[in-house]
Amino acid sequence: MAAVQRAIAGQVRSLTLTGGEPTLEPWLPQLLQLAQRGGIPERVLETHAGTMPLARARQLADAGLTRAIVAVNCLD
């Protein structure tokens, strides 16, 4: 939450949430809502989306997610 508040104070235009698998974090909707209320116009999620049910995707969209980047990591 503090990092998003710093981004808002710094008038960041795009916020990307990544690292590990952010969709597993229970606080993700609150971060997106905070960023949206704080005026960050683009709120991006980097995910492999392998463990995310459709209901969770809808929850994140409703919380203010504007774009998702789905990574398909593989060896070949």
Side-chain angles (χ1 to χ4, degrees):
M1 292 295 201
V4 173
Q5 291 171 334
R6 286 192 301 272
I8 292 166
Q11 299 181 342
V12 167
R13 306 289 301 152
S14 179
L15 178 71
T16 300
L17 303 168
T18 188
E21 180 46 49
T23 62
L24 298 176
E25 298 297 341
W27 41 258
L28 185 57
Q30 288 82 6
L31 284 179
L32 291 166
Q33 291 167 348
L34 177 61
Q36 183 178 32
R37 285 192 313 267
I40 298 176
E42 183 178 51
R43 297 162 305 275
V44 182
L45 175 67
E46 288 186 357
T47 177
H48 67 69
T51 58
M52 185 168 45
L54 183 56
R56 178 72 164 160
R58 285 190 179 123
Q59 178 190 35
L60 297 177
D62 290 345
L65 183 66
T66 59
R67 184 164 54 108
I69 299 170
V70 178
V72 180
N73 300 324
C74 63
L75 297 175
D76 52 16

